[in-house]
Every structure is written in structure tokens, then in C-alpha cells.
Amino acid sequence: MGLFFKNRRKVKKKSKKVTKEVANKGHLESSQKAFANEQEIIIKDQDSPETTGTVPDSNAAPPDAKKDSDTHSNTKARKKRSLFFRKKAKTETEKSKGLDHPELTEKEKNKQKKREDKQKDRDITGQKKAKKDVKDQKTGIFSRFRKGMSKTRSAITGRLDRLFLGKKEITEDLLDELEEILFTSDIGVATTQALIDSVRGKVSRKELKEPEKLKSALKDHIFSFLEVEPVPHQKPAPGEPRVIMVVGVNGVGKTTTIGKLAYNFKSQGQKVMLAAADTFRAAAIEQLEIWGERVGAEVISHKSGSDPSSVVFDAIASAVSKNADTLLIDTAGRLHTKKNLMDELSKIHRVAGKKLTGAPHEIWLTLDATTGQNAISQAEKFNEKLGITGIILTKLDGTAKGGIVVGISHQLGIPVKYIGVGEQIDDLKEFDAQDFITAIFD
């Protein structure tokens, strides 16, 4: 009996053990199957853009049960994407046609119009300010110019006003006094005579009767003398530098003028080079090098006492190789009465032409306005020897002899290119006949 119950307990233990193992095995298989199902769902979710990033639910339905739902979701997502891209394409098409906001409400359209109006106002204000700045700059330049011409204005217009004051008719005595004023203003004998003859002719034809109108007639006639046609000269070929030879007697300010010309051309965006061909005057090379450093222009020079023609030859070669826009040649002061010194300038002219066809393209004569009628004599001699294409008058701010501008333009037919009205670097002003007449008579 005892053995029976003992065996029975062993069978029960064994049965429990087997049942437990079966239960564990079943649980393991169930877990593995659930894990496999979860992995399959995760993979499907990763393949679908709409379900990316979602957390799989352990209680989710099997893949077969969700198949219809997933298909519906995918179709709905595709429709949304299609609608999005159609709207985007429509918007871009309307923008290309100038319809940036095709579906704006009335309120939004008003706001947009206000923004556009404000922007237009800002643009107009900016343009007006820019024009005002340019006008102010021109006014400032002219004011300095007019101030520099004050002595000449007093010598001509001031005396004319006193002559005409109280006069009611044009008499022979009045014309004689007018002739004296013009002659002593360094306008020149020939130019003075031309002006007086013109006035006498108008008086005899009774075109001029009142003295106050005589001033206006003189102003118009002098203006016609200043409007000189450019002297024909060679022009540089495309890609070649414009070579300008600057000449003049000692002491007229050639080197300083060249420095100011270089500043002027650099301000216009040109690449400028300088040739130190004044190899005789002490410190002339050093002075030009200081100007070159000041304005940012390269200076080509040799040692003092060397042949100026060789300096010009090398300077032209360098200007061509470096694609310079303008080459300014400084020359030694030459007395116009010394033939051998003038012949040296002719040699520089020939050497320049051999190195570069047509060079120098222009020859500018620098004259000191304070020398008066002597300046006309200098211009005649230099013009005979070299063929001057332009005049630069310096020191006009320090003299009452500014009438020389009229005499040179009328007698020689050579245009005045620049006038110096101060010592500042920007006080070399491009000559304008109308500005000159206004500064003298108004």
C-alpha cells in the first residue's frame, strides 16, 4: 500500500513536470510568433511613408486584418501629395505671369499695395537725395571756382559796371574807356580789337543803344571766342595707352599739374602711369615720385642726368605691357627762346612715335596765368615747334589776368583743357566755357 502511493506521487510529479515543460514550450512558441508578427508590422511601417516613425502596438491586429486599412491610408496620402504638388505648380505658374498672390483677400491686397507704395516712396526719396548730392557737389566745385576767379571778375566786370553806371547812351568816349578796360585785363590786343569792332558795328546799326545791354553783348561775344573746336590729333588704338606729353617753361607748375591730372584720371577709374622725363632739374624725379605715391600711379624713371628720350621709350613699353589707360610724360622746363632746348622736346616726340605709333597722342602746354601777355608768346613758340593740342592755365586764383584765357582761345584757336584755381589736389578744374563766363560776369 505504501509502495502504491509512493509510485503515484512520482507519477504526479513527473506529470506536473511534463505539463510545466509543455506550458513553457507553448509560451515560448507564442512569444516567438508574437515577436515575428511585430517585426513584420515594423518592416511594413518602415516601407510606408505615412507610418514612418510610429510605435508598433503590441495589441495591433495581424497584418492580414490591417491590409485594407493600410491600402486606404496609402491611397489617401497619395491624393494629398498629388493635390499639394498641383497647388504648388499652379502657384509657380501664376508667379511667372506676375500674379504673386492670386487669391489674396481685399484686406491683404490693400496691405500689399501700401507696402509697394512705401517702397516706391523710398526709391523716389533715394533718387532725389542722390541728385541733390550731385547738385551740391557741383555747386561746391563752382563756388570754389568762382571764388578763385574773384580777382579776374573784379578786374573785368567790376570796372565795366562802374563804367556803365549812370550812362544813358553809348558814346565814343564810352567805347574808348571800354577798350582800355579790356586791354588792361590781359585779353590781348587782337582780341580786344575784335570785341570793340563788333560793338561799334552793332552801335552803328543801332542794334545797341543802351549801355546796360552792352555788357550782355560783350558776354555773348567772349563766350563765342571760348568755344574752340578740338585740335585734330592721333588717337590710341584699342588696348593701347593714351600718351600725353606735358610741356612748358620753368616755374609754371608742370610737375604739380601732372600730379593733379593723374588724380583726376584715377578718380575716373583709369589706370595711370607717369614718366619722369625731367632728368635735369634737381629733385624733379623725387617730386614726381611723391605725387605718384600720393595718387596711386606708377612712376617710370631713370637716374638724374640720363637721356629723357630713353625714359619715355621705357615708360611707353611699360604702359603697353601693363595695359595702362593713360601715360603722362613730365618734361624739363624749356625756355621757348632757346632753340637747342626746344629741339630736345622734338627728339622726345620722335622717340615716342617710334615706340608707339601716333604717340604722343596729345601735347598739353602748361602756362602761368600770372604772366599775362607773355603766356600768349610762349604758346605761339611751343605750338610752332610741337603742335599743341591743349592748354592748361595754372594760378588763376592768384591773378587778375584771367582774361588771358579769352586771348589764347581766340588768337591761337587752341582749346583750354584745364584751369588751376587753388592749391588743393582737386583744384585743377576741367575748363567749361559757360562756367567761366558765369564766374566772370554774374
Side-chain angles (χ1 to χ4, degrees):
M1 195 69 173
L3 182 61
F4 171 78
F5 286 108
K6 186 177 181 181
N7 289 336
R8 190 175 178 181
R9 283 196 298 269
K10 285 182 180 180
V11 171
K12 284 183 178 182
K13 286 182 180 180
K14 188 175 180 180
S15 176
K16 286 181 180 179
K17 185 176 180 182
V18 171
T19 302
K20 188 176 182 180
E21 288 177 355
V22 171
N24 289 338
K25 185 176 179 182
H27 180 70
L28 179 61
E29 288 177 352
S30 177
S31 299
Q32 290 175 346
K33 188 175 180 180
F35 177 75
N37 290 338
E38 289 176 359
Q39 291 297 316
E40 186 177 353
I41 292 170
I42 291 173
I43 292 171
K44 287 184 177 181
D45 287 343
Q46 290 176 344
D47 290 340
S48 174
E50 288 72 17
T51 57
T52 303
T54 57
V55 179
D57 189 0
S58 59
N59 296 322
D64 292 339
K66 293 181 63 179
K67 185 175 181 180
D68 294 338
S69 177
D70 291 343
T71 302
H72 178 71
S73 299
N74 292 339
T75 302
K76 188 175 180 181
R78 282 195 298 271
K79 286 182 178 180
K80 287 183 178 180
R81 288 198 301 272
S82 177
L83 181 61
F84 169 76
F85 285 114
R86 282 201 303 273
K87 286 184 178 180
K88 184 177 180 182
K90 183 179 179 182
T91 303
E92 290 176 351
T93 303
E94 289 169 340
K95 282 185 178 181
S96 66
K97 293 180 180 178
L99 304 172
D100 292 342
H101 303 284
E103 298 178 0
L104 290 176
T105 64
E106 193 66 29
K107 185 177 180 180
E108 291 172 335
K109 287 180 181 179
N110 292 335
K111 287 183 178 180
Q112 182 183 0
K113 189 175 184 304
K114 287 182 180 179
R115 286 196 298 268
E116 291 174 352
D117 291 341
K118 286 182 180 179
Q119 184 60 43
K120 286 180 181 179
D121 291 340
R122 284 194 291 267
D123 293 341
I124 292 172
T125 303
Q127 291 173 2
K128 287 182 178 179
K129 187 177 182 301
K131 288 181 180 179
K132 185 177 182 298
D133 291 342
V134 172
K135 185 177 180 181
D136 290 345
Q137 184 180 7
K138 289 182 178 179
T139 303
I141 293 172
F142 181 76
S143 297
R144 295 205 327 265
F145 170 60
R146 194 174 189 280
K147 183 179 179 181
M149 297 296 296
S150 59
K151 292 183 178 180
T152 300
R153 182 172 58 257
S154 177
I156 298 176
T157 306
R159 292 164 70 191
L160 289 177
D161 289 340
R162 289 191 293 272
L163 173 63
F164 299 148
L165 183 64
K167 302 292 193 304
K168 295 183 178 180
E169 59 180 7
I170 300 174
T171 63
E172 194 62 33
D173 289 341
L174 186 145
L175 292 178
D176 289 341
E177 290 184 55
L178 174 62
E179 185 176 2
E180 181 182 350
I181 291 174
L182 294 175
F183 180 75
T184 55
S185 299
D186 281 280
I187 287 179
V189 177
T191 306
T192 298
Q193 193 61 51
L195 288 171
I196 293 297
D197 289 345
S198 174
V199 170
R200 289 184 189 276
K202 290 182 178 181
V203 171
S204 64
R205 293 190 301 271
K206 297 185 178 181
E207 295 175 7
L208 273 177
K209 297 180 180 180
E210 301 171 1
E212 59 265 22
K213 292 184 179 180
L214 188 54
K215 181 180 175 181
S216 177
L218 285 172
K219 177 181 175 181
D220 293 340
H221 209 106
I222 289 174
F223 179 73
S224 68
F225 287 164
L226 295 173
E227 286 192 310
V228 181
E229 292 293 326
V231 177
H233 58 82
Q234 291 277 1
K235 293 184 179 180
E240 291 181 349
R242 176 192 182 196
V243 180
I244 301 173
M245 185 175 172
V246 183
V247 298
V249 301
N250 290 311
V252 296
K254 286 190 310 300
T255 305
T256 300
T257 298
I258 288 173
K260 292 181 178 181
L261 284 171
Y263 171 80
N264 193 309
F265 294 149
K266 287 282 288 184
S267 300
Q268 299 172 15
Q270 296 186 32
K271 182 177 182 180
V272 183
M273 295 182 65
L274 309 177
D278 183 358
T279 59
F280 297 104
R281 180 171 64 89
I285 298 174
E286 289 79 2
Q287 183 184 359
L288 191 65
E289 287 176 341
I290 291 172
W291 270 107
E293 184 178 352
R294 184 179 179 185
V295 303
E298 182 180 353
V299 179
I300 305 300
S301 62
H302 291 184
K303 64 181 181 180
S304 181
S306 59
D307 182 7
S309 298
S310 64
V311 177
V312 172
F313 186 91
D314 292 345
I316 292 176
S318 180
V320 171
S321 64
K322 295 177 181 178
N323 297 317
D325 296 305
T326 302
L327 173 65
L328 295 168
I329 301 175
D330 185 19
T331 60
R334 295 288 188 268
L335 291 175
H336 55 289
T337 55
K338 300 293 184 181
K339 183 178 183 301
N340 60 326
L341 296 178
M342 296 294 285
D343 288 342
E344 184 67 33
L345 289 178
S346 298
K347 179 184 176 183
I348 294 174
H349 190 288
R350 291 194 304 272
V351 170
K354 288 180 180 179
K355 182 59 182 175
L356 182 64
T357 303
H361 304 101
E362 295 188 61
I363 302 174
W364 290 352
L365 173 63
T366 308
L367 298 173
D368 183 347
T370 62
T371 59
Q373 289 299 300
N374 189 38
I376 294 180
S377 176
Q378 294 174 26
E380 288 174 341
K381 295 295 182 182
F382 276 97
N383 191 40
E384 288 174 6
K385 194 70 176 178
L386 299 170
I388 303 301
T389 61
I391 301 289
I392 301 174
L393 273 168
T394 62
K395 308 176 186 178
L396 266 174
D397 58 314
T399 182
K401 299 180 178 181
I404 191 63
V405 176
V406 183
I408 289 174
S409 299
H410 175 247
Q411 291 180 227
L412 302 179
I414 302 173
V416 177
K417 296 286 188 179
Y418 291 88
I419 52 176
V421 291
E423 297 180 357
Q424 299 300 318
I425 193 171
D426 57 348
D427 282 335
L428 186 68
K429 185 183 184 300
E430 192 170 356
F431 181 74
D432 182 273
Q434 187 60 59
D435 286 350
F436 181 82
I437 288 293
T438 303
I440 296 299
F441 285 92
D442 296 339

